[in-house]
Each structure stands twice: as structure tokens, then as C-alpha cells.
């Protein structure tokens, strides 16, 4: 049974940094692309970043050059480093997989996702 467990959420000041982590179990995450999605109150869940089995990455334009996704296959974790946080970065961050090897052009389509974590809340406030 696929399990994705996020951690690291909390309060960050505008301009500040925060590191989110997702631990995968119940499958072999090495073979698959893994993603981070975000949902702000009243908004649709949106794709933020993807990292493929071959370490290719993709980012939403709103976070490119501020967020960095990485993975540690032996630890079965993926991380999302948030820097230069903005108010609009607030929301619940979800780890996800579509059980595909590569990110491709459709990684941010939430309907393609097979498994979701429960999410971790990020609040941006001064």
C-alpha cells in the first residue's frame, strides 16, 4: 500500500526559508517521478514541482528559482526547499505520485495522480 507522509510545514516569514520532506513507503519510489502540489484556501490544488526517477525536474513558473526539489532514494524521501517565501506560497503542501518514471508535460495535472499524502500546512506571515 502506497504511503506518502509529509513533514516540515510551519510558519515562515516573507523572504524566509522552509524545508518540506516526504517519506514514501509501500512501493519503490526510486522508479517513479514524485511531485509536490499546493492548495491554498479557496483555490484549486496546483502542481508545484516534480522530480523524475532520473533526477529531471520541473517547476511551476510561480516558484521557479525559489523552490528546489530533491530526492534521496536510499532514504525514500523527497524534499522541497522553499526560499524567498511569499504570502502566496501559503497553503497545504501535498506529496504525490502518478506512478510514472518521468515528469513529462503533464506532471502538474492532479487528475493523473494515483496517490496523495495527507499534506503539511505552510503559513507565511510576518
Amino acid at each position: 500500500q502506497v504511503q506518502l507522509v509529509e513533514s516540515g510545514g510551519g510558519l515562515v516569514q516573507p523572504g524566509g526559508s522552509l524545508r518540506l520532506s516526504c517519506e514514501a513507503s509501500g512501493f519503490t519510489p526510486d522508479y517513479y517521478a514524485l511531485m509536490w502540489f499546493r492548495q491554498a484556501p479557496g483555490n484549486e490544488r496546483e502542481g508545484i514541482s516534480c522530480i523524475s526517477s532520473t533526477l529531471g525536474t520541473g517547476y511551476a513558473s510561480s516558484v521557479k528559482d525559489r523552490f528546489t526539489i530533491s530526492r534521496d532514494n536510499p532514504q525514500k524521501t523527497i524534499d522541497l526547499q522553499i526560499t524567498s517565501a511569499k504570502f502566496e506560497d501559503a497553503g497545504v503542501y501535498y506529496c504525490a505520485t502518478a506512478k510514472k518514471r518521468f515528469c513529462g508535460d503533464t506532471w502538474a495535472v492532479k487528475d493523473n495522480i494515483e496517490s496523495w499524502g495527507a499534506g503539511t500546512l505552510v503559513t507565511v506571515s510576518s
Side-chain angles (χ1 to χ4, degrees):
Q1 181 181 357
V2 173
Q3 280 198 309
L4 299 166
V5 180
E6 303 91 338
S7 61
L11 176 66
V12 60
Q13 292 185 338
S17 299
L18 196 67
R19 191 173 187 89
L20 308 181
S21 188
C22 170
E23 185 171 352
S25 62
F27 70 114
T28 306
D30 315 32
Y31 298 149
Y32 301 107
L34 293 162
M35 300 84 166
W36 285 96
F37 282 71
R38 174 176 73 199
Q39 188 165 18
N43 287 1
E44 292 284 323
R45 195 170 295 188
E46 60 174 339
I48 294 300
S49 186
C50 177
I51 185 165
S52 76
S53 61
T54 55
L55 304 183
T57 57
Y59 295 93
S61 58
S62 60
V63 305
K64 193 173 175 58
D65 298 326
R66 298 189 300 115
F67 288 18
T68 304
I69 192 170
S70 60
R71 66 190 298 161
D72 184 335
N73 285 340
Q75 296 295 322
K76 297 188 177 183
T77 58
I78 64 163
D79 288 353
L80 186 71
Q81 178 70 48
I82 298 171
T83 61
S84 302
K86 300 179 178 181
F87 289 115
E88 53 263 40
D89 293 328
V92 180
Y93 283 70
Y94 297 91
C95 183
T97 182
K99 287 290 197 74
K100 296 182 179 178
R101 285 202 67 195
F102 303 106
C103 296
D105 295 330
T106 59
W107 63 266
V109 177
K110 63 181 187 297
D111 291 345
N112 293 338
I113 298 300
E114 289 194 12
S115 299
W116 296 97
T120 187
L121 178 65
V122 173
T123 303
V124 182
S125 176
S126 53

